[in-house]
């Protein structure tokens, strides 16, 4: 019989948009847990922060690109789940998904500059891409995702309302991206055309538009005066010939979230995170189509990107995911983020010094990470210390109780049932 609750070893990747060394929360959490790394020969070693490297994402799932191991045995977590599906995955998930893989992939991201302008294709498109190019598209699943702010978090997400985009496109430097003859009504189809035109424009056309926009006064942008402030910031991060800058500033919602606020990105939803620390959770997939904020050779086909693009949400409020009190929480100190999909929910527990919480058993497996503070956990007849950065697996049917230590306790649990 496997243990019902056990600690995990996780690791961190080094995408170039991450934060430097110990400035990255992902690296700091990873260094406090018995994390793993690979040395130059590809051998597993302990995780240690290298201040010369940037660290972007700490992963807790069982996706093979960055697996999670059981701390006590070093076994790959997915191998253990495959051996004990009844006890560790549970009946309801196996019935729902027809496999014993964890359906979700939780991460901690630490972002210093814009991530590629991207979307994650729906299941049909993902299956087609995976068949055509399994190297680049490693699975056939969709990847809707949520992002919960741990700090101030800035993101471009979904499209602005159509009338707003239409009016910004009247600005002189952007007129060349409008269809000819100029449309009198501006619809999603017009927007699709405009996005396609910008993404496939020549370097010099983007450079001209960018230079033109930079020269405009703050009031030219109507109520979106933030555009004036973001122009130099984005230009410091990416070449001014990158079409992502124009698409993000002119057509997309710009959101600034406070800790605890969250975004939901549906399949095919356009997004580009800009700065901050977040908990991210997504369906088990790594598929992405990138078209901006990345070098030209790593951009995917604009035709394919625009073909699947969804136009929902169409305003900033539509992008937000509001947490609700968690019905499994016995002492009311836990909120739950519940996106409209079956692969996962994320529960957020926050306790001040000495406070307690109990979480009722779930039908499926959960994984939690302590992002701040420490405390005690009672589960399956044992008591464990849960420190900052530690990551734990909780089997289906297991109730957990927590008590915060002196510095309080903040943790996030991804689960599905
Ligand atoms: Zn994404």
């Amino acid at each position: 019989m496997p243990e019902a609750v056990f600690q995990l070893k996780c690791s961190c990747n080094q995408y170039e948009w991450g934060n430097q060394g110990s400035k990255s929360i992902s690296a700091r959490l990873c260094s406090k847990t018995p994390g793993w790394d690979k040395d130059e020969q590809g051998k597993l070693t302990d995780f240690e922060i290298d201040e010369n490297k940037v660290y972007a994402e700490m992963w807790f799932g069982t996706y093979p690109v960055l697996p999670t191991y059981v701390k006590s045995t070093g076994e790959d977590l997915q191998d253990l789940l495959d051996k004990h599906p009844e006890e560790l995955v549970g009946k309801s998930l196996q019935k729902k998904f027809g496999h014993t893989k964890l359906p979700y992939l939780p991460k901690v991201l630490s972002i210093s500059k814009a991530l590629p302008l991207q979307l994650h294709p729906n299941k049909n498109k993902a299956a087609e891409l995976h068949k055509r190019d399994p190297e680049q598209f490693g699975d056939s699943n969709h990847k809707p995702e949520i992002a919960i702010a741990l700090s101030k978090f800035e993101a471009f997400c979904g499209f602005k309302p159509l009338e707003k985009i239409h009016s910004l496109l009247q600005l002189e430097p952007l007129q060349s991206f409008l269809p000819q003859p100029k449309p009198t009504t501006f619809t999603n189809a017009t927007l699709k055309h405009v996005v396609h035109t910008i993404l496939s424009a020549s370097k010099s056309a983007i450079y001209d538009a960018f230079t033109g926009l930079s020269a405009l006064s703050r009031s030219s942008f109507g109520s979106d005066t933030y555009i004036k402030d973001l122009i130099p910031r984005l230009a410091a991060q990416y070449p001014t010939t990158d079409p992502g800058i124009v698409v993000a500033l002119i057509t997309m919602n710009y959101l600034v979230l406070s800790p605890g606020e969250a975004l939901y990105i549906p399949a095919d939803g356009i997004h580009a995170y800009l700065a901050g620390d977040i908990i991210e959770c997504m369906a088990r997939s790594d598929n992405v189509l990138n078209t901006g904020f990345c070098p030209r050779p790593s951009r995917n086909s604009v035709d394919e990107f625009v073909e699947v693009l969804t136009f929902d949400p169409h305003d900033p409020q539509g992008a937000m995911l509001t947490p609700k009190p968690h019905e499994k929480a016995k002492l009311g100190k836990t909120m739950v983020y519940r996106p409209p999909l079956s692969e996962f929910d994320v529960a957020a527990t926050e306790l001040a010094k000495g406070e307690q919480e109990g979480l009722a058993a779930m039908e499926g497996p959960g994984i939690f990470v302590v992002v701040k503070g420490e405390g005690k956990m009672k589960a399956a007849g044992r008591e464990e210390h849960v420190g900052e950065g530690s990551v734990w697996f909780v089997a289906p049917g297991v109730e957990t109780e927590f008590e915060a230590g002196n510095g309080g306790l903040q943790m996030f649990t991804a689960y599905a049932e």
Side-chain angles (χ1 to χ4, degrees), residues 169-302:
L169 285 167
Q170 306 305 317
L171 292 168
E172 210 279 318
L174 301 173
Q175 300 234 346
S176 62
F177 301 125
L178 276 169
Q180 291 303 333
K182 274 191 201 158
T184 44
T185 55
F186 196 85
T187 62
N188 280 339
T190 329
L191 176 56
K192 203 170 192 166
H193 176 98
V194 167
V195 171
H196 191 283
T197 308
I198 299 173
L199 289 175
S200 43
S202 68
K203 279 187 181 183
S204 64
I206 298 294
Y207 177 79
D208 290 348
F210 177 83
T211 319
L213 286 175
S214 312
L216 294 177
S217 69
R218 177 172 290 268
S219 59
S220 318
F221 300 104
S223 57
D224 287 352
T225 50
Y226 71 83
I227 294 176
K228 184 77 183 162
D229 305 318
L230 289 184
I231 286 172
R233 260 180 84 190
L234 291 174
Q237 298 180 356
Y238 291 94
T240 51
T241 52
D242 190 308
I245 298 182
V246 180
V247 170
L249 290 177
I250 303 303
T251 71
M252 295 172 68
N253 298 306
Y254 165 66
L255 291 104
V256 183
L257 279 68
S258 301
E261 292 185 315
L263 292 178
Y264 165 59
I265 315 283
D268 303 331
I270 189 167
H271 59 289
Y273 301 154
L274 182 56
D277 297 331
I278 56 172
I279 294 285
E280 199 183 42
C281 194
M282 60 207 63
R284 180 194 178 80
S285 169
D286 202 24
N287 287 328
V288 62
L289 293 171
N290 293 326
T291 54
F293 298 138
C294 57
R296 282 187 185 241
S298 49
R299 285 179 208 159
N300 296 103
S301 143
V302 170

Side-chain angles (χ1 to χ4, degrees), residues 118 120 145 271:
Q118 57 187 252
H120 307 295
E145 65 190 24
H271 59 289

